[in-house]
């Protein structure tokens, strides 16, 4: 396999691990939950690009292409959601507004179902890899992504400017710079370049998520945003848990493929993996 694809799979795992660590700090806090989903959809987006690059059949290519486009839409909405509630003593968001933040993504999902060429018109195999020809709806999706991303960025920037506490400003600085750089490069290579007709560098966007990981890691060491011993312990627990579930999933997939189609098998393995993850995690604690 291409080394670039191996790195994409590794980045996917790292994204999931850091999301689980943050969530486990307080899984009932809305800030942690929204940040977890931001990281989770970043991981799903990265995974989708990796599978799009290695897929051979047209069915698989179209599925993974639409998959990573849809998941990127949730990155934008959860970035906005996180920006609105971060550093607030109490969230003032109504339940209706929480739903409306993510509503455009469901509109795009329905558009893909009823208009198959909404995002992707065709996929060509080039010497350098797979290339998609954009459908008529992709520019509208691009506009949505940029509006939500910039909205969230300016909310965080405003909070940073208004914060008087040095410690609070340090926290906001890392939350502002880390994910923002990651999302910026992701939108550059996986949105702007694509709109300009260049699909060759879509694998570069997910690499930028490493920047987010580095900023968070530096924040842990330099400003003690989290207890380092707790982080190290949870890193081991979740690393071991994820690797165990992945290996079990691979074995289960080989068995289920004897009885079901590839898509059905993938869904079943995902459901079972999510169901047993908590028990596997508790085993390593």
């Amino acid at each position: 396999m291409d080394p670039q694809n191996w790195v994409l799979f590794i980045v996917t795992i790292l994204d999931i691990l850091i999301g689980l660590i943050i969530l486990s700090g307080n899984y009932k806090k809305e800030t942690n939950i929204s940040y977890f989903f931001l990281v989770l959809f970043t991981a799903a987006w990265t995974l989708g690009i990796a599978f799009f690059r290695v897929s051979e059949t047209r069915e698989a290519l179209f599925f993974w292409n639409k998959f990573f486009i849809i998941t990127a839409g949730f990155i934008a909405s959860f970035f906005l959601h996180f920006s609105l509630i971060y550093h607030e003593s109490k969230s003032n968001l109504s339940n209706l507004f929480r739903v409306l933040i993510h509503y455009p993504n469901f509109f795009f999902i329905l558009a893909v179902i009823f208009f198959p060429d909404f995002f992707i018109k065709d996929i060509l195999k080039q010497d350098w890899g797979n290339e998609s020809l954009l459908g008529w709806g992709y520019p509208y999706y691009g506009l949505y992504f940029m509006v939500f991303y910039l909205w969230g960025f300016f909310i965080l920037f405003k909070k940073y400017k208004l914060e008087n506490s040095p410690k609070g400003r340090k926290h906001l600085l890392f939350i502002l710079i880390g994910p923002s750089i990651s999302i910026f490069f992701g939108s550059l290579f996986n949105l702007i370049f694509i709109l300009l007709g260049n699909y060759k560098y879509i694998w570069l966007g997910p690499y930028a998520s490493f920047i987010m990981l580095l900023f968070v890691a530096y924040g842990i060491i330099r400003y003690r945003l989290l207890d380092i011993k707790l982080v190290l312990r949870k890193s081991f627990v979740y690393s071991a848990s994820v690797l165990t579930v992945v290996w079990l999933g691979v074995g289960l997939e080989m068995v289920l493929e004897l009885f079901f189609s590839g898509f059905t098998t993938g869904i079943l393995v995902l459901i079972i993996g999510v169901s047993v993850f908590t028990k596997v995690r508790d085993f390593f604690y």
Side-chain angles (χ1 to χ4, degrees):
M1 190 190 301
D2 192 322
Q4 296 167 350
N5 297 327
W6 278 114
V7 175
L8 289 174
F9 285 116
I10 293 171
V11 169
T12 299
I13 295 174
L14 291 176
D15 283 343
I16 294 173
L17 288 177
I18 196 169
L20 289 172
I21 291 171
I22 298 299
L23 181 66
S24 64
N26 187 346
Y27 65 89
K28 294 182 180 180
K29 190 175 181 181
E30 187 177 358
T31 302
N32 293 36
I33 295 172
S34 61
Y35 187 81
F36 168 73
F37 278 105
L38 168 63
V39 176
L40 183 66
F41 278 106
T42 301
W45 167 63
T46 304
L47 185 67
I49 291 176
F51 277 115
F52 173 76
R53 285 172 53 82
V54 302
S55 295
E56 295 292 338
T57 65
R58 287 183 60 83
E59 180 184 13
L61 286 170
F62 273 95
F63 172 80
W64 288 113
N65 202 166
K66 294 174 182 177
F67 175 84
F68 77 69
I69 292 174
I70 291 295
T71 52
F74 279 100
I75 294 175
S77 63
F78 274 106
F79 179 65
L80 175 59
H81 189 162
F82 173 80
S83 301
L84 288 166
I85 62 176
Y86 180 75
H87 213 60
E88 300 288 344
S89 57
K90 184 179 180 181
S91 174
N92 295 319
L93 299 182
S94 66
N95 290 331
L96 176 61
F97 191 73
R98 287 184 175 90
V99 174
L100 291 177
I101 292 174
H102 306 286
Y103 180 79
N105 295 299
F106 298 102
F107 167 78
F108 288 126
I109 291 173
L110 290 175
V112 169
I113 293 175
F114 292 104
F115 305 99
D117 61 344
F118 182 81
F119 281 137
I120 304 300
K121 184 165 53 177
D122 198 6
I123 297 178
L124 306 176
K125 297 189 74 67
Q126 306 288 8
D127 294 337
W128 46 263
N130 301 317
E131 178 182 20
S132 298
L133 300 180
L134 300 182
W136 58 271
Y138 198 92
Y140 299 104
Y141 163 82
L143 178 63
Y144 148 74
F145 185 96
M146 292 304 298
V147 169
F148 271 51
Y149 160 66
L150 291 174
W151 187 2
F153 179 85
F154 283 115
I155 288 173
L156 286 176
F157 182 75
K158 183 178 179 181
K159 290 182 179 182
Y160 172 76
K161 295 292 289 185
L162 295 175
E163 177 59 44
N164 295 319
S165 166
K167 184 177 180 180
R169 287 178 68 87
K170 289 174 183 177
H171 287 197
L172 279 166
L173 183 63
F174 278 94
I175 294 299
L176 179 65
I177 295 178
S180 296
I181 292 177
S182 176
I183 294 175
F184 170 77
F185 282 104
S187 62
L188 177 65
F189 293 113
N190 296 76
L191 178 61
I192 298 174
F193 274 28
I194 289 176
L195 287 171
L196 295 175
N198 189 335
Y199 228 82
K200 189 175 182 179
Y201 301 104
I202 61 169
W203 53 274
L204 284 172
Y207 285 12
S209 62
F210 271 125
I211 298 175
M212 178 174 64
L213 295 174
L214 290 174
F215 267 90
V216 173
Y218 180 77
I220 292 171
I221 298 171
R222 179 68 177 83
Y223 296 112
R224 301 184 182 276
L225 301 184
L226 295 174
D227 185 287
I228 189 64
K229 292 183 180 179
L230 180 63
V231 169
L232 291 175
R233 181 188 176 195
K234 288 184 176 180
S235 296
F236 166 76
V237 169
Y238 282 102
S239 297
S241 301
V242 170
L243 290 174
T244 300
V245 172
V246 168
W247 280 110
L248 290 174
V250 171
L252 182 61
E253 183 177 15
M254 295 174 65
V255 175
L256 291 177
E257 282 183 341
L258 299 175
F259 306 97
F260 304 101
S261 66
F263 180 77
T264 304
T265 298
I267 296 298
L268 290 174
V269 170
L270 179 61
I271 293 173
I272 295 172
V274 171
S275 301
V276 304
F277 180 82
T278 303
K279 294 183 179 179
V280 175
R281 181 201 62 190
D282 293 342
F283 172 79
F284 285 107
Y285 258 120

